[in-house]
Amino acid sequence: MNILLLSMPDSFEHMPTVAIRMPNGALTSLAGNVDQNHRVAVADLVLCQRTVRETVTRLVREIDPELVGLSVMTFQRRTAGCIVELIRSLKPTMKIVVGGYDPSLAFEAYLSMPVDFIVHGEGEVTFRELTRALDGRCDMHFISGLSHRCGDRWIHNQQRAPHRLEDDEIRLPDRSARVLKGYTILGRQADVVETSRGCTYDCSFCSIIEMRGRNFHTYSFDRVITDIRDAKVHGARTIFLVDDNITLNVRRFEGLCHAIIDAGLNNLDYFVQGMTSAIANHGETLAPLMHRAGFRYVFLGIENVLESDLKFLHASAKNTLRAGGKNMGNATIQAIEYLHRNKMYVIGGLIVGSPNDTVESIEANLAFARRYVDWPYIQHPTPYPRTPMTDDFRRRGLIENERLEEYDGTTSVVRNEHLSADEIEYLRWKAERGMKTRHMPAAFRHDPWFVARNVAKMAAHTYRGSTLRTMLGLEDERQAFMRYKEIRGQERHYL
């Protein structure tokens, strides 16, 4: 059977495609976990944002798939619906399956779409069994984690338990299935590798617990090293480790760093997401080891520097510095100092706009970001499906915007007790542009040729909406902000 797997073209504001075009690791994992009698093609549409219709049309005609799969996040739902309609018009008899965070956590929204199957949660084994059922080798009704059409009604099978990664049930990804090229981070060919899944924290803004429960499972180091080698063979020079919470087990993370060094794979650049508490509490030995292993950028889950906001976000525990068995306050500054001391850059993940935030509390976080982080990744509380935060916002009547295509983290869709959604977003937008510009010299030192060639494009993206009048102070910056909002809205239309 010919299979085409698509990820959506919608990208995050903080990940402009001029600088970052990362693959969807779930799709190559699906490709690597079907039986070998199937021919699978993987296409990340973020690589062709301006030619989505033409690219999908070409791929459907060239590959002639019998099954098309779409990986969808909440803010990509509208685009996914357009692509489903396009596929149906090109080949009405084709079977369509959707999966990912949005179909898993808001599957009701897909029951009225012209799709045939919905995969809930992790997809590798469910998708493998679905392809076998379509081959006539097993019964659709007994596939855990699957919803499927039966005539005019939907049948929802029992849920599938999270995969225990230690048992080798999940095979390595198949990167050779990719049919588009151009994955880069700052000009270097990039890829993604997963070493673990899950998290045991209960942050109110996060979908992971709802997606797979509260657990933490890990791949063996041998498998991870084989995966990294495969990514390198396919051209990667930068690896983003996409684990939900890789620093949950610090000793294991240290072991992974040693494994990378021992395998001679520390000549690659690694990007990783980490908790402030883990790095602050173990950074004296962990941070030098990370540098030796090749880690260069660390996305630090700061969330917020004010304890009142951390409590609302349910993120206090993972941001606490501990010494002598006692809590010593916020761990963020200590974590950043360890990373900077060991020549790593900090991508500062903060969330501003919680229900009790004021202009002063938001500005306190923005001032912290200006002083301490190298690249801001500041977001707003967003009511993603089935998160505890969403229930809270609905109960308080704070959700101002129900346009899901704008649920991308950097569009403020929720007001709070003091400020409108637009005012919250404006404060972030105004502050972030300067922070990003100040990182350019450091980015130039790391990737001089890329920055030299693309600095104008990156500046145009960062300052879109602004004009010469804005720069000279001859107009209110809010006018530039409104133009930016219009431009951002136009960018969300890919078909």
Side-chain angles (χ1 to χ4, degrees):
M1 176 166 53
N2 292 340
I3 301 169
L4 174 61
L5 301 178
L6 303 171
S7 69
M8 300 301 97
D10 316 63
S11 58
F12 293 102
E13 172 68 15
H14 290 319
M15 298 173 67
T17 53
V18 62
I20 301 175
R21 294 188 295 272
M22 284 199 299
N24 181 315
L27 296 188
T28 47
S29 188
L30 292 177
N33 279 275
V34 297
D35 297 327
Q36 292 185 352
N37 60 304
H38 301 296
R39 177 194 172 208
V40 185
V42 169
D44 290 288
L45 299 179
V46 72
L47 299 175
C48 57
Q49 288 182 326
R50 296 181 180 178
T51 59
V52 173
R53 182 178 296 276
E54 296 84 348
T55 301
V56 171
T57 300
R58 175 178 61 80
L59 291 174
V60 168
R61 289 174 177 166
E62 290 177 357
I63 296 165
D64 191 24
E66 297 155 77
L67 177 66
V68 174
L70 281 70
S71 177
V72 191
M73 299 181 74
T74 300
F75 74 106
Q76 300 170 333
R77 188 190 299 175
R78 182 180 69 177
T79 302
C82 294
I83 290 176
V84 167
E85 294 288 350
L86 172 60
I87 292 169
R88 279 279 177 242
S89 70
L90 295 171
K91 189 175 179 181
T93 60
M94 191 157 28
K95 298 294 185 182
I96 299 176
V97 54
V98 293
Y101 273 96
D102 197 47
S104 296
L105 302 181
F107 71 91
E108 301 88 351
Y110 292 81
L111 301 180
S112 59
M113 288 189 188
V115 301
D116 302 286
F117 311 104
I118 301 170
V119 171
H120 303 261
E122 297 165 290
E124 288 93 347
V125 176
T126 303
F127 189 71
R128 181 193 305 160
E129 294 178 358
L130 170 60
T131 60
R132 289 174 180 173
L134 292 173
D135 275 348
R137 290 188 288 149
C138 70
D139 193 324
M140 196 82 65
H141 294 76
F142 297 102
I143 301 176
S144 299
L146 183 73
S147 294
H148 56 103
R149 285 190 185 275
C150 185
D152 294 331
R153 63 191 181 97
W154 279 90
I155 294 178
H156 306 289
N157 299 345
Q158 68 177 5
Q159 292 299 304
R160 184 178 295 275
H163 298 312
R164 297 188 60 83
L165 306 181
E166 298 88 347
D167 58 12
D168 294 326
E169 184 179 31
I170 308 298
R171 306 169 191 158
L172 285 164
D174 180 8
R175 294 181 174 86
S176 66
R178 293 170 178 157
V179 293
L180 302 178
K181 299 183 182 300
Y183 305 105
T184 58
I185 297 178
L186 297 177
R188 302 186 186 198
Q189 187 167 332
D191 214 320
V192 295
V193 169
E194 182 182 55
T195 87
S196 66
R197 290 181 185 176
C199 184
T200 58
Y201 287 90
D202 61 349
C203 301
S204 65
F205 54 85
C206 186
S207 303
I208 292 170
I209 300 299
E210 286 295 329
M211 185 73 165
R212 56 170 288 120
R214 187 176 305 201
N215 52 63
F216 182 68
H217 295 298
T218 60
Y219 288 116
S220 70
F221 288 163
D222 285 345
R223 185 197 191 277
V224 173
I225 293 302
T226 300
D227 200 2
I228 294 174
R229 280 204 179 100
D230 183 67
K232 184 177 180 180
V233 166
H234 282 86
R237 294 298 173 263
T238 296
I239 303 289
F240 181 34
L241 300 182
V242 295
D243 301 40
D244 299 317
N245 193 346
I246 199 169
T247 54
L248 190 62
N249 183 336
V250 173
R251 296 306 172 206
R252 177 184 178 273
F253 184 44
E254 290 176 336
L256 176 62
C257 291
H258 282 297
I260 290 171
I261 294 168
D262 293 344
L265 293 169
N266 54 332
N267 57 350
L268 301 173
D269 275 1
Y270 294 91
F271 285 48
V272 71
Q273 305 174 87
M275 289 192 300
T276 58
S277 59
I279 294 174
N281 294 319
H282 302 273
E284 189 168 349
T285 56
L286 178 61
L289 181 59
M290 290 172 64
H291 178 73
R292 283 177 53 211
F295 288 87
R296 295 296 176 261
Y297 279 85
V298 178
F299 181 100
L300 202 57
I302 300 167
E303 319 309 2
N304 204 282
V305 297
L306 302 178
E307 185 59 31
S308 58
D309 279 349
L310 284 174
K311 288 180 179 178
F312 169 73
L313 298 170
H314 296 181
S316 295
K318 69 174 192 172
N319 287 277
T320 300
L321 180 66
R322 297 176 180 87
K326 297 181 180 179
N327 293 345
M328 306 297 290
N330 197 293
T332 301
I333 293 177
Q334 182 66 76
I336 292 173
E337 287 180 353
Y338 279 133
L339 294 172
H340 281 167
R341 190 184 307 167
N342 288 278
K343 301 178 182 179
M344 286 176 276
Y345 297 115
V346 174
I347 302 172
L350 290 105
I351 300 174
V352 299
S354 296
N356 294 317
D357 265 352
T358 61
V359 170
E360 291 75 20
S361 63
I362 291 174
E363 290 289 2
N365 277 278
L366 296 174
F368 180 92
R370 287 190 197 94
R371 179 175 178 182
Y372 290 104
V373 308
D374 301 296
W375 184 265
Y377 203 109
I378 304 171
Q379 301 187 77
H380 305 297
T382 304
Y384 295 116
R386 289 173 55 184
T387 63
M389 178 183 288
T390 299
D391 294 337
D392 191 0
F393 285 147
R394 291 211 179 277
R395 187 170 57 252
R396 299 194 198 190
L398 297 177
I399 300 176
E400 286 188 355
N401 182 346
E402 300 282 358
R403 297 185 295 277
L404 295 186
E405 63 271 17
E406 298 184 4
Y407 280 35
D408 55 7
T410 50
T411 302
S412 183
V413 298
V414 175
R415 67 177 178 85
N416 69 16
E417 304 294 349
H418 306 283
L419 301 165
S420 69
D422 263 4
E423 183 65 19
I424 293 167
E425 185 178 345
Y426 171 70
L427 292 171
R428 175 198 59 78
W429 171 86
K430 183 174 67 169
E432 268 187 347
R433 296 174 300 162
M435 298 183 211
K436 292 176 177 177
T437 301
R438 281 195 296 274
H439 185 58
M440 282 303 102
F444 180 82
R445 289 193 296 273
H446 188 257
D447 296 283
W449 292 113
F450 171 79
V451 174
R453 290 195 308 269
N454 293 281
V455 64
K457 291 180 181 178
M458 290 189 289
H461 178 273
T462 300
Y463 287 92
R464 63 200 193 284
S466 299
T467 65
L468 181 60
R469 286 177 54 82
T470 314
M471 304 296 184
L472 295 174
L474 299 177
E475 70 171 4
D476 190 330
E477 280 193 302
R478 290 178 187 273
Q479 292 179 262
F481 175 63
M482 295 310 297
R483 286 195 296 268
Y484 157 77
K485 295 275 284 184
E486 292 175 3
I487 293 168
R488 187 73 181 108
Q490 295 165 5
E491 290 171 344
R492 292 188 176 100
H493 292 272
Y494 298 96
L495 282 83

